[in-house]
PDB file of all heavy atoms in Angstrom:
ATOM      1  N   GLY B1478     -33.999   3.755  73.862  1.00 90.00           N
ATOM      2  CA  GLY B1478     -33.652   2.449  74.412  1.00 90.00           C
ATOM      3  C   GLY B1478     -34.170   2.306  75.826  1.00 90.00           C
ATOM      4  O   GLY B1478     -34.467   3.295  76.484  1.00 90.00           O
ATOM      5  N   ALA B1479     -34.272   1.071  76.272  1.00 87.00           N
ATOM      6  CA  ALA B1479     -34.816   0.802  77.600  1.00 87.00           C
ATOM      7  C   ALA B1479     -33.789   1.121  78.689  1.00 87.00           C
ATOM      8  O   ALA B1479     -32.669   1.526  78.393  1.00 87.00           O
ATOM      9  CB  ALA B1479     -35.220  -0.669  77.681  1.00 87.00           C
ATOM     10  N   ASN B1480     -34.174   0.895  79.925  1.00 88.00           N
ATOM     11  CA  ASN B1480     -33.251   1.083  81.052  1.00 88.00           C
ATOM     12  C   ASN B1480     -31.981   0.279  80.844  1.00 88.00           C
ATOM     13  O   ASN B1480     -32.043  -0.890  80.484  1.00 88.00           O
ATOM     14  CB  ASN B1480     -33.886   0.585  82.353  1.00 88.00           C
ATOM     15  CG  ASN B1480     -34.867   1.581  82.910  1.00 88.00           C
ATOM     16  OD1 ASN B1480     -36.047   1.354  82.910  1.00 88.00           O
ATOM     17  ND2 ASN B1480     -34.366   2.702  83.346  1.00 88.00           N
ATOM     18  N   GLY B1481     -30.860   0.935  81.069  1.00 89.00           N
ATOM     19  CA  GLY B1481     -29.607   0.195  81.020  1.00 89.00           C
ATOM     20  C   GLY B1481     -29.106  -0.124  79.629  1.00 89.00           C
ATOM     21  O   GLY B1481     -28.147  -0.871  79.464  1.00 89.00           O
ATOM     22  N   ALA B1482     -29.738   0.457  78.602  1.00 91.00           N
ATOM     23  CA  ALA B1482     -29.325   0.154  77.227  1.00 91.00           C
ATOM     24  C   ALA B1482     -27.966   0.778  76.917  1.00 91.00           C
ATOM     25  O   ALA B1482     -27.214   0.272  76.088  1.00 91.00           O
ATOM     26  CB  ALA B1482     -30.372   0.665  76.251  1.00 91.00           C
ATOM     27  N   GLY B1483     -27.664   1.882  77.582  1.00 93.00           N
ATOM     28  CA  GLY B1483     -26.382   2.536  77.347  1.00 93.00           C
ATOM     29  C   GLY B1483     -26.505   3.948  76.798  1.00 93.00           C
ATOM     30  O   GLY B1483     -25.535   4.514  76.303  1.00 93.00           O
ATOM     31  N   LYS B1484     -27.678   4.551  76.922  1.00 94.00           N
ATOM     32  CA  LYS B1484     -27.882   5.904  76.401  1.00 94.00           C
ATOM     33  C   LYS B1484     -27.015   6.914  77.153  1.00 94.00           C
ATOM     34  O   LYS B1484     -26.265   7.690  76.553  1.00 94.00           O
ATOM     35  CB  LYS B1484     -29.363   6.326  76.536  1.00 94.00           C
ATOM     36  CG  LYS B1484     -30.337   5.359  75.898  1.00 94.00           C
ATOM     37  CD  LYS B1484     -31.778   5.813  76.058  1.00 94.00           C
ATOM     38  CE  LYS B1484     -32.285   5.831  77.500  1.00 94.00           C
ATOM     39  NZ  LYS B1484     -32.399   4.480  78.111  1.00 94.00           N
ATOM     40  N   THR B1485     -27.142   6.881  78.471  1.00 95.00           N
ATOM     41  CA  THR B1485     -26.370   7.821  79.278  1.00 95.00           C
ATOM     42  C   THR B1485     -24.880   7.609  79.064  1.00 95.00           C
ATOM     43  O   THR B1485     -24.110   8.571  78.942  1.00 95.00           O
ATOM     44  CB  THR B1485     -26.723   7.644  80.771  1.00 95.00           C
ATOM     45  OG1 THR B1485     -28.108   7.907  80.942  1.00 95.00           O
ATOM     46  CG2 THR B1485     -25.918   8.579  81.643  1.00 95.00           C
ATOM     47  N   THR B1486     -24.479   6.360  78.999  1.00 95.00           N
ATOM     48  CA  THR B1486     -23.066   6.062  78.779  1.00 95.00           C
ATOM     49  C   THR B1486     -22.577   6.663  77.457  1.00 95.00           C
ATOM     50  O   THR B1486     -21.478   7.223  77.393  1.00 95.00           O
ATOM     51  CB  THR B1486     -22.841   4.543  78.788  1.00 95.00           C
ATOM     52  OG1 THR B1486     -23.311   4.026  80.028  1.00 95.00           O
ATOM     53  CG2 THR B1486     -21.379   4.201  78.627  1.00 95.00           C
ATOM     54  N   LEU B1488     -23.798   9.332  75.905  1.00 96.00           N
ATOM     55  CA  LEU B1488     -23.681  10.784  76.062  1.00 96.00           C
ATOM     56  C   LEU B1488     -22.446  11.148  76.874  1.00 96.00           C
ATOM     57  O   LEU B1488     -21.720  12.089  76.554  1.00 96.00           O
ATOM     58  CB  LEU B1488     -24.922  11.365  76.748  1.00 96.00           C
ATOM     59  CG  LEU B1488     -26.265  11.252  76.036  1.00 96.00           C
ATOM     60  CD1 LEU B1488     -27.258  12.247  76.614  1.00 96.00           C
ATOM     61  CD2 LEU B1488     -26.121  11.510  74.539  1.00 96.00           C
ATOM     62  N   LYS B1489     -22.196  10.366  77.923  1.00 95.00           N
ATOM     63  CA  LYS B1489     -21.037  10.694  78.761  1.00 95.00           C
ATOM     64  C   LYS B1489     -19.723  10.407  78.053  1.00 95.00           C
ATOM     65  O   LYS B1489     -18.704  11.028  78.358  1.00 95.00           O
ATOM     66  CB  LYS B1489     -21.100   9.920  80.080  1.00 95.00           C
ATOM     67  CG  LYS B1489     -22.140  10.500  81.017  1.00 95.00           C
ATOM     68  CD  LYS B1489     -22.057   9.908  82.405  1.00 95.00           C
ATOM     69  CE  LYS B1489     -22.966  10.680  83.354  1.00 95.00           C
ATOM     70  NZ  LYS B1489     -23.180   9.946  84.620  1.00 95.00           N
ATOM     71  N   GLN B1529     -23.334  18.710  78.049  1.00 96.00           N
ATOM     72  CA  GLN B1529     -24.349  17.714  78.429  1.00 96.00           C
ATOM     73  C   GLN B1529     -25.249  18.257  79.528  1.00 96.00           C
ATOM     74  O   GLN B1529     -24.793  18.900  80.470  1.00 96.00           O
ATOM     75  CB  GLN B1529     -23.660  16.437  78.920  1.00 96.00           C
ATOM     76  CG  GLN B1529     -24.661  15.400  79.408  1.00 96.00           C
ATOM     77  CD  GLN B1529     -24.059  14.023  79.576  1.00 96.00           C
ATOM     78  OE1 GLN B1529     -22.899  13.799  79.277  1.00 96.00           O
ATOM     79  NE2 GLN B1529     -24.863  13.094  80.052  1.00 96.00           N
ATOM     80  N   GLU B1532     -29.018  13.621  83.256  1.00 91.00           N
ATOM     81  CA  GLU B1532     -30.321  13.127  83.688  1.00 91.00           C
ATOM     82  C   GLU B1532     -30.440  13.295  85.195  1.00 91.00           C
ATOM     83  O   GLU B1532     -29.449  13.296  85.924  1.00 91.00           O
ATOM     84  CB  GLU B1532     -30.492  11.663  83.257  1.00 91.00           C
ATOM     85  CG  GLU B1532     -30.069  10.616  84.241  1.00 91.00           C
ATOM     86  CD  GLU B1532     -30.179   9.197  83.668  1.00 91.00           C
ATOM     87  OE1 GLU B1532     -31.291   8.657  83.599  1.00 91.00           O
ATOM     88  OE2 GLU B1532     -29.126   8.643  83.296  1.00 91.00           O
ATOM     89  N   GLY B1533     -31.673  13.510  85.643  1.00 86.00           N
ATOM     90  CA  GLY B1533     -31.892  13.629  87.077  1.00 86.00           C
ATOM     91  C   GLY B1533     -31.637  15.023  87.626  1.00 86.00           C
ATOM     92  O   GLY B1533     -31.419  15.186  88.819  1.00 86.00           O
ATOM     93  N   ASP B1609     -30.074  14.519  78.356  1.00 95.00           N
ATOM     94  CA  ASP B1609     -30.344  13.171  78.868  1.00 95.00           C
ATOM     95  C   ASP B1609     -31.662  13.129  79.635  1.00 95.00           C
ATOM     96  O   ASP B1609     -31.800  13.764  80.680  1.00 95.00           O
ATOM     97  CB  ASP B1609     -29.182  12.722  79.776  1.00 95.00           C
ATOM     98  CG  ASP B1609     -29.153  11.213  79.949  1.00 95.00           C
ATOM     99  OD1 ASP B1609     -30.069  10.535  79.437  1.00 95.00           O
ATOM    100  OD2 ASP B1609     -28.199  10.712  80.578  1.00 95.00           O
ATOM    101  N   GLU B1610     -32.609  12.395  79.097  1.00 92.00           N
ATOM    102  CA  GLU B1610     -33.859  12.104  79.815  1.00 92.00           C
ATOM    103  C   GLU B1610     -34.523  13.370  80.384  1.00 92.00           C
ATOM    104  O   GLU B1610     -34.855  13.425  81.566  1.00 92.00           O
ATOM    105  CB  GLU B1610     -33.529  11.158  80.972  1.00 92.00           C
ATOM    106  CG  GLU B1610     -34.491  10.017  81.149  1.00 92.00           C
ATOM    107  CD  GLU B1610     -34.127   8.788  80.338  1.00 92.00           C
ATOM    108  OE1 GLU B1610     -33.060   8.182  80.572  1.00 92.00           O
ATOM    109  OE2 GLU B1610     -34.908   8.435  79.463  1.00 92.00           O
ATOM    110  N   MET B1613     -37.982  12.942  82.155  1.00 88.00           N
ATOM    111  CA  MET B1613     -38.135  12.043  83.298  1.00 88.00           C
ATOM    112  C   MET B1613     -38.856  12.707  84.473  1.00 88.00           C
ATOM    113  O   MET B1613     -38.461  13.769  84.935  1.00 88.00           O
ATOM    114  CB  MET B1613     -36.770  11.535  83.751  1.00 88.00           C
ATOM    115  CG  MET B1613     -36.862  10.382  84.727  1.00 88.00           C
ATOM    116  SD  MET B1613     -35.280   9.578  84.935  1.00 88.00           S
ATOM    117  CE  MET B1613     -34.282  10.919  85.528  1.00 88.00           C
ATOM    118  N   ALA B1641     -31.340  11.756  74.555  1.00 95.00           N
ATOM    119  CA  ALA B1641     -31.444  10.389  75.075  1.00 95.00           C
ATOM    120  C   ALA B1641     -32.790  10.302  75.781  1.00 95.00           C
ATOM    121  O   ALA B1641     -33.057  11.085  76.681  1.00 95.00           O
ATOM    122  CB  ALA B1641     -30.315  10.109  76.043  1.00 95.00           C
ATOM    123  N   GLU B1642     -33.630   9.396  75.355  1.00 92.00           N
ATOM    124  CA  GLU B1642     -34.996   9.381  75.892  1.00 92.00           C
ATOM    125  C   GLU B1642     -35.557   7.978  76.031  1.00 92.00           C
ATOM    126  O   GLU B1642     -35.325   7.115  75.194  1.00 92.00           O
ATOM    127  CB  GLU B1642     -35.925  10.161  74.956  1.00 92.00           C
ATOM    128  CG  GLU B1642     -36.084  11.624  75.295  1.00 92.00           C
ATOM    129  CD  GLU B1642     -36.711  11.879  76.662  1.00 92.00           C
ATOM    130  OE1 GLU B1642     -37.429  11.011  77.191  1.00 92.00           O
ATOM    131  OE2 GLU B1642     -36.462  12.974  77.214  1.00 92.00           O
ATOM    132  N   GLN B1643     -36.321   7.792  77.082  1.00 89.00           N
ATOM    133  CA  GLN B1643     -37.158   6.595  77.156  1.00 89.00           C
ATOM    134  C   GLN B1643     -38.535   6.925  76.616  1.00 89.00           C
ATOM    135  O   GLN B1643     -39.299   6.051  76.239  1.00 89.00           O
ATOM    136  CB  GLN B1643     -37.287   6.136  78.605  1.00 89.00           C
ATOM    137  CG  GLN B1643     -36.021   5.539  79.116  1.00 89.00           C
ATOM    138  CD  GLN B1643     -36.279   4.598  80.271  1.00 89.00           C
ATOM    139  OE1 GLN B1643     -37.248   3.855  80.267  1.00 89.00           O
ATOM    140  NE2 GLN B1643     -35.417   4.639  81.257  1.00 89.00           N
TER     141      GLN B1643
HETATM  142 MG1   MG C 612     -29.678   7.047  81.412  1.00 86.46          MG
END
Side-chain angles (χ1 to χ4, degrees):
Chain B
N1480 281 110
K1484 305 180 294 293
T1485 299
T1486 303
L1488 296 199
K1489 285 190 171 166
Q1529 177 166 357
E1532 92 185 282
D1609 199 356
E1610 224 89 64
M1613 192 167 59
E1642 268 298 336
Q1643 288 204 39

